[in-house]
Amino acid sequence: MKIVSIVGARPQFIKAAVVSRVLRERHLEVLLHTGQHYDDEMSGVFFRELGLPRPDINLGVGSGSHARQTGEMLIGIERVLLQERPAGVLVYGDTNSTLAGALAAAKLNLPVAHVEAGLRSFNRAMPEEINRIVADRLSALLFCPTRTAVENLAREGITAGVHQVGDVMYDALLHTLPIAERTSSILEALGLTPGTYLLTTIHRAGNTDEPANLSAILAALGATGEPILFPVHPRTRQALTRWNISPAQNVRLIEPVGYLDMLVLEKNARLILTDSGGVQKEAYWLGIPCLTLREETEWVETVEAGWNVLVGTSVERLVAAVHSFHPPGEQPALFGHGQAGQEIIRLLEEAWG
């Protein structure tokens, strides 16, 4: 059995590390990096910290419009699949790399396995939602992180090949957090005291490409009056410059950080504000209250459990929630028990081995 695994963006590097480590040990994987995230802060540091093998192939696609980026990926991925002739193709999450990998494989009549299948925000204005729907429709194996994801697929008539395996990002966090706490010096480097700052991340197109939304979020962050640390995604930094939006004095902008440092920053924050799906989950697992800068989330379990509140881009809602939100004391095990990677490997070998 030979599998081509396709990654391209930092959340996928975290997810793939759990599965790729085992596949590579068994000499079963060709790892293809599309180059969607390409600089060291968004790509290289994650491979080093997670022990993820260097990609066998890097397409170097880089940034661009959805059409150009996806088109170039399709061309490159098709070429690799024709050369490698794998038993199947493994894709992760909801990026353009996921869409291109699933589509290229399906066109060549190769089976697709989708890790993190069944997620739905029910907002088709989100590019990620389109990517998820298409990838799920094209997949023969659908690895769902939660029961909700399984139910979403069933409502769409997808039941064959569906498996609830848990969340590979939870596997990664359990494995990596002790290493991060032992080795990271980010708190000392930034002069931060645990529990005395808020942490924010913003990168979704609905926020970065809409000046009114981005301006409202930055205004709300300033209005909280609390110290806020803001590792800035390259796309967000460009948007701040383009729209001439300046943060208030209590908002501290820094460059993106690696996975180990990010886990330490998350664990020691008083509260997290984000539009990232992965950060919402990490906040839940770490027991840190989370405010989501969107009107909907694909991770509804975190909201239903009382640890996450959707505040959108409303200044009033965001500021009020910062000062009043107190989640309950328990976090039910809604995302598995840290064995998702092992279950995925077993199912891949059973289906394609």
Side-chain angles (χ1 to χ4, degrees):
M1 177 179 73
K2 176 165 66 175
I3 293 172
V4 170
S5 296
I6 297 173
V7 297
R10 57 188 286 173
Q12 293 171 320
F13 308 148
I14 299 168
K15 297 164 194 169
V18 174
V19 179
S20 288
R21 190 178 295 114
V22 179
L23 289 177
R24 297 299 281 242
E25 287 172 356
R26 302 180 188 179
H27 306 287
L28 299 176
E29 181 187 62
V30 174
L31 185 61
L32 187 158
H33 185 348
T34 64
Q36 181 174 339
H37 282 171
Y38 49 87
D39 60 21
D40 190 68
E41 292 170 332
M42 299 295 287
S43 177
V45 66
F46 283 80
F47 280 81
R48 292 192 299 274
E49 292 184 347
L50 291 161
L52 188 60
R54 302 305 300 177
D56 298 291
I57 301 153
N58 192 323
L59 300 181
V61 168
S63 302
S65 70
H66 289 289
R68 188 193 70 77
Q69 192 179 63
T70 307
E72 291 189 17
M73 289 176 185
L74 274 168
I75 294 168
I77 293 170
E78 181 186 63
R79 181 175 64 249
V80 171
L81 296 182
L82 288 170
Q83 291 171 349
E84 297 292 339
R85 300 189 179 279
V89 174
L90 187 61
V91 297
Y92 295 85
D94 56 17
T95 70
N96 287 340
S97 300
T98 310
L99 173 66
L103 188 55
K107 290 281 190 176
L108 294 173
N109 201 30
L110 291 170
V112 177
H114 184 199
V115 175
E116 212 172 75
L119 301 191
R120 295 293 183 269
S121 69
F122 304 100
N123 178 6
R124 293 204 179 190
M126 289 178 60
E128 295 88 351
E129 185 80 349
I130 303 302
N131 294 345
R132 295 179 195 125
I133 291 169
V134 174
D136 285 342
R137 285 289 174 185
L138 297 176
S139 294
L141 290 171
L142 301 101
F143 299 130
C144 297
T146 64
R147 186 66 204 167
T148 302
V150 173
E151 292 168 355
N152 288 339
L153 292 173
R155 280 194 294 269
E156 296 174 12
I158 302 173
T159 55
V162 174
H163 304 274
Q164 183 180 345
V165 297
D167 197 308
V168 290
M169 287 192 73
Y170 187 43
D171 293 25
L173 183 142
L174 291 176
H175 173 77
T176 310
L177 183 60
I179 301 170
E181 293 181 312
R182 193 167 60 246
T183 62
S184 173
S185 59
I186 189 71
L187 296 180
E188 295 81 358
L190 296 176
L192 297 171
T193 302
T196 64
Y197 64 93
L198 312 187
L199 178 67
T200 191
T201 72
I202 305 165
H203 80 281
R204 295 277 180 182
N207 287 329
T208 61
D209 295 352
E210 297 292 336
N213 289 349
L214 189 58
S215 181
I217 291 171
L218 267 293
L221 296 179
T224 66
E226 297 202 31
I228 298 177
L229 187 69
F230 184 4
V232 188
H233 189 287
R235 179 166 67 189
T236 310
R237 190 173 288 277
Q238 292 171 5
L240 291 171
T241 301
R242 183 187 316 125
W243 310 122
N244 195 28
I245 300 170
S246 298
Q249 289 188 348
N250 63 309
V251 181
R252 182 179 178 183
L253 275 58
I254 64 171
E255 294 300 314
V257 299
Y259 183 51
L260 301 184
D261 285 342
M262 190 62 181
L263 286 181
V264 170
L265 289 174
E266 288 172 352
K267 185 177 181 185
N268 289 281
R270 183 183 80 75
L271 184 143
I272 291 172
L273 307 97
T274 187
D275 60 8
S276 162
V279 174
Q280 290 174 57
K281 291 184 296 178
E282 287 165 353
Y284 180 80
W285 297 325
L286 294 169
I288 305 300
C290 182
L291 305 181
T292 293
L293 307 172
R294 292 161 50 188
E295 297 294 347
E296 71 288 308
T297 179
E298 55 277 18
W299 299 108
V300 295
E301 298 87 355
T302 63
V303 176
E304 292 169 350
W307 280 86
N308 186 5
V309 175
L310 303 176
V311 296
T313 60
S314 164
V315 175
E316 294 76 15
R317 287 161 59 194
L318 190 155
V319 173
V322 163
H323 297 306
S324 65
F325 177 43
H326 299 287
E330 295 183 357
Q331 300 129 275
L334 303 172
F335 298 89
H337 300 278
Q339 306 297 319
Q342 296 178 29
E343 183 65 4
I344 287 169
I345 295 291
R346 184 188 71 78
L347 291 165
L348 287 172
E349 291 184 324
E350 185 179 283
W352 299 347

